[in-house]
Amino acid sequence: MIFTNKERFCEQIRLCERAMYSVAFSVLKNETDSAEVLSEAIYRAYKKLDTLKNEKAFKPWILRIVHNTAVEEIRKNSKVIAMEEISEPVYCGFEQKLTQNVSLKSAVDSLKQPYRTAVILFYYENLSVLQIAQITETTPAAVKQRLSRARNILKELLKEDFNNE
Amino acid sequence: MNDFDKYLKSKAKSECPEIPDSVKNLIEETLSNLPMQGDKPKKIRVLPRIASAAACLIFVMLFLLPNISVAYAEAVEELPIIGKIVKVVTVRNYFYSDDYHEMDIDVPEVSGENGEAADYINKEISELTETLVNQFYSNLEAIGDEGHSSVYVDYETVINTEKWFTLKIRVHEAAGSSNTYYKYYHINKLNGNIVKLGDLAKDESFYDVLEKEIKRQMKEQTELDSNKVYWLDDSIIGKDFVSLDSKHNFYLTENGDMVIVFDKYEVAPGSMGTPEFTISKDIIKEIIKPEFNSIFS
């Protein structure tokens, strides 16, 4: 077992909590549900600690558990359809206000799943394509495709701001 | 695309989303409620060995030695029994564990010379644990592998002197968020009766004095430490929740002070845990029935 005590586990969780919240929120888009999912994911991770072979892999490992728990939550409440079935537009309902600067956050929030999670993990959490593929249980090629499509949308949404840079 | 990528990265870095306090608090609460790693296997491995060693020793002392040694038999007969003896032992353990659900319930049994009082406590505890076990199994069926739940019950003999006996039961339940509560049972060994908080009261002013003292201590604590929060008149809730009744949890310390115990969420946010307030015996002496004077001394 990598972690010999509870303290060490808690430290690691605190280091990753922001990323964990981003992942949960990117799937659930709701603060209360995300908090519940994090709590549940922490319990699960703690029970399965002995399956973690390398301490350096803690972040992707815990994010994968958070992602799984969040997706289960969605399926349980059947708020949306399974991710693989999404083939519609990559983004939805973003009100473009040309008069003001668009924040990246609001642009990202307007993306549909699974593009939103991929973008958050790649740009905000600086994870590699391979790690994102593991966390979201898909292939690196699919992650690259998601990022590329999302990038096109973001470029459209943020072009004013980008051109001003 | 490279420039745009760089732009996205730097923008993401500058925006750096914050995690809401409510989420942070729930994470901290979850962490503080995790069981200690490695406690369980140790318990399972060690206990039978101790139990079998103890059984051997008892057998040797009670049956073997008296029968083979005349001197020992005489010595055992003459052993004086001091005071009234109350003993607590674990009589049952309910255990269940899978990837999602865990239950570990120790059921104690009180025995000794205060027979009626012990029977009362044993009955209460067995009702409580049976309810928890049934609830656990119905949760297990309802939740299946779609969530996590756990229930832990253990106990502790808080005090066991010539005059007084207190048993504390701790119940910890978790399913998403968690809850911890305690039950205290007291026997006044001087007359063998079960004692509840209300039995101590000389008159109604008893509760007022205690509540006032607790609120004073809450204010003092929050002034000294801004991290502490109690629900008092001047808190965000705008109403204080300190309300004692005749069955409220309490216990006595070795030096005769009284400690009032609140359940989680009863008078403060969950992050404060289960707050305890020690009321000095000087205050207690003035408000209890004279028959308990010798206990608070």
Side-chain angles (χ1 to χ4, degrees):
Chain A
M1 195 178 296
I2 306 288
F3 299 99
T4 46
N5 61 40
K6 182 181 155 182
E7 279 307 304
R8 189 88 189 91
F9 176 77
C10 294
E11 268 172 39
Q12 291 290 325
I13 291 287
R14 289 191 189 101
L15 287 176
C16 298
E17 63 184 11
R18 198 183 57 107
M20 290 164 67
Y21 179 68
S22 298
V23 170
F25 193 87
S26 76
V27 177
L28 297 159
K29 291 197 94 174
N30 165 328
E31 186 181 312
T32 321
D33 289 353
S34 302
E36 289 290 320
V37 158
L38 288 189
S39 181
E40 172 69 27
I42 291 172
Y43 270 116
R44 289 190 190 177
Y46 192 62
K47 294 201 73 163
K48 291 183 190 162
L49 254 185
D50 50 352
T51 66
L52 176 66
K53 299 284 180 266
N54 177 359
E55 194 175 332
K56 282 190 183 128
F58 186 82
K59 190 172 175 184
W61 179 77
I62 186 80
L63 293 183
R64 180 175 172 161
I65 295 175
V66 171
H67 187 261
N68 275 343
T69 315
V71 170
E72 269 176 36
E73 178 71 19
I74 287 269
R75 293 212 174 124
K76 201 166 70 191
N77 301 334
S78 28
K79 279 179 188 159
V80 295
I81 37 169
M83 300 200 168
E84 290 74 20
E85 293 167 31
I86 300 174
S87 55
E88 334 142 48
V90 183
Y91 99 103
C92 61
F94 180 73
E95 288 175 41
Q96 208 163 356
K97 288 170 189 148
L98 294 170
T99 45
Q100 67 186 66
N101 273 354
V102 184
S103 78
L104 177 59
K105 184 79 176 52
S106 58
V108 170
D109 281 348
S110 74
L111 292 174
K112 279 204 165 191
Q113 276 299 49
Y115 306 99
R116 199 166 54 229
T117 305
V119 167
I120 284 176
L121 291 174
F122 189 78
Y123 290 104
Y124 285 93
E125 301 305 330
N126 286 316
L127 291 163
S128 71
V129 168
L130 190 65
Q131 284 173 323
I132 299 173
Q134 282 166 355
I135 292 166
T136 56
E137 295 189 323
T138 182
T139 59
V143 174
K144 277 185 193 159
Q145 193 192 35
R146 285 171 193 176
L147 285 173
S148 145
R149 285 188 187 164
R151 229 179 257 130
N152 288 338
I153 299 293
L154 289 175
K155 196 164 189 188
E156 192 57 35
L157 292 172
L158 298 163
K159 64 180 172 206
E160 293 260 319
D161 192 53
F162 175 54
N163 291 336
N164 291 339
E165 290 267 305
Chain B
M1 203 45 90
N2 260 344
D3 278 352
F4 185 61
D5 239 28
K6 267 186 210 151
Y7 155 84
L8 284 179
K9 287 242 174 194
S10 76
K11 207 160 160 95
K13 210 173 179 182
S14 70
E15 277 180 16
C16 187
E18 283 300 309
I19 173 166
D21 281 348
S22 64
V23 179
K24 224 178 155 73
N25 288 342
L26 187 64
I27 290 179
E28 284 306 315
E29 201 190 311
T30 310
L31 291 178
S32 70
N33 281 320
L34 291 175
M36 290 306 281
Q37 194 73 251
D39 276 2
K40 298 288 165 194
K42 217 191 281 165
K43 205 169 159 190
I44 293 162
R45 260 183 270 125
V46 175
L47 260 185
R49 226 185 285 157
I50 293 178
S52 58
C56 276
L57 195 65
I58 288 169
F59 176 76
V60 170
M61 282 168 67
L62 288 185
F63 300 103
L64 203 58
L65 277 177
N67 285 323
I68 57 172
S69 153
V70 179
Y72 186 83
E74 281 170 355
V76 169
E77 261 171 43
E78 281 164 17
L79 264 184
I81 307 286
I82 310 157
K84 291 189 175 175
I85 294 178
V86 175
K87 274 181 275 188
V88 188
V89 289
T90 305
V91 287
R92 269 191 302 282
N93 174 273
Y94 296 99
F95 185 81
Y96 177 94
S97 178
D98 67 19
D99 281 352
Y100 298 93
H101 306 275
E102 190 164 302
M103 165 173 75
D104 191 354
I105 294 180
D106 282 341
V107 185
E109 190 174 86
V110 181
S111 62
E113 288 172 36
N114 305 99
E116 262 178 53
D119 288 347
Y120 171 84
I121 296 176
N122 293 335
K123 190 164 161 278
E124 288 259 316
I125 293 173
S126 98
E127 280 171 10
L128 171 73
T129 49
E130 262 168 46
T131 314
L132 289 169
V133 171
N134 291 337
Q135 209 176 311
F136 175 81
Y137 281 117
S138 63
N139 278 348
L140 186 72
E141 231 164 80
I143 302 173
D145 58 4
E146 290 182 333
H148 175 101
S149 80
S150 63
V151 55
Y152 304 100
V153 178
D154 54 19
Y155 66 88
E156 183 190 335
T157 306
V158 179
I159 199 166
N160 194 358
T161 65
E162 278 177 38
K163 299 172 191 166
W164 196 263
F165 166 81
T166 298
L167 179 71
K168 168 186 176 180
I169 309 284
R170 187 184 71 120
V171 181
H172 178 76
E173 290 178 289
S177 69
S178 70
N179 189 21
T180 307
Y181 59 90
Y182 303 107
K183 296 226 175 240
Y184 287 86
Y185 298 99
H186 311 278
I187 301 177
N188 176 0
K189 288 203 201 166
L190 299 178
N191 58 15
N193 287 344
I194 290 278
V195 182
K196 294 190 172 156
L197 187 64
D199 300 325
L200 301 171
K202 191 161 70 178
D203 52 46
E204 278 304 304
S205 71
F206 176 79
Y207 301 106
D208 294 340
V209 173
L210 291 179
E211 285 172 14
K212 223 174 124 192
E213 170 62 14
I214 290 167
K215 282 187 249 179
R216 188 193 66 74
Q217 291 188 21
M218 285 177 169
K219 281 220 171 72
E220 193 178 82
Q221 287 184 25
T222 46
E223 276 161 20
L224 284 172
D225 182 352
S226 59
N227 290 325
K228 291 200 170 177
V229 180
Y230 293 108
W231 291 328
L232 286 162
D233 310 337
D234 52 1
S235 70
I236 19 168
I237 301 282
K239 177 174 181 294
D240 76 66
F241 279 75
V242 181
S243 169
L244 302 177
D245 63 20
S246 62
K247 290 174 187 160
H248 203 93
N249 275 336
F250 76 99
Y251 65 90
L252 306 180
T253 66
E254 292 276 333
N255 48 18
D257 295 328
M258 183 195 278
V259 179
I260 300 280
V261 186
F262 290 96
D263 288 341
K264 198 170 171 182
Y265 308 114
E266 193 180 350
V267 292
S271 56
M272 293 290 292
T274 54
E276 297 194 352
F277 298 91
T278 307
I279 317 288
S280 137
K281 59 188 168 198
D282 300 330
I283 297 178
I284 301 296
K285 266 184 197 159
E286 305 293 319
I287 52 173
I288 53 166
K289 289 181 187 148
E291 58 185 279
F292 291 105
N293 277 346
S294 70
I295 300 202
F296 292 90
S297 58

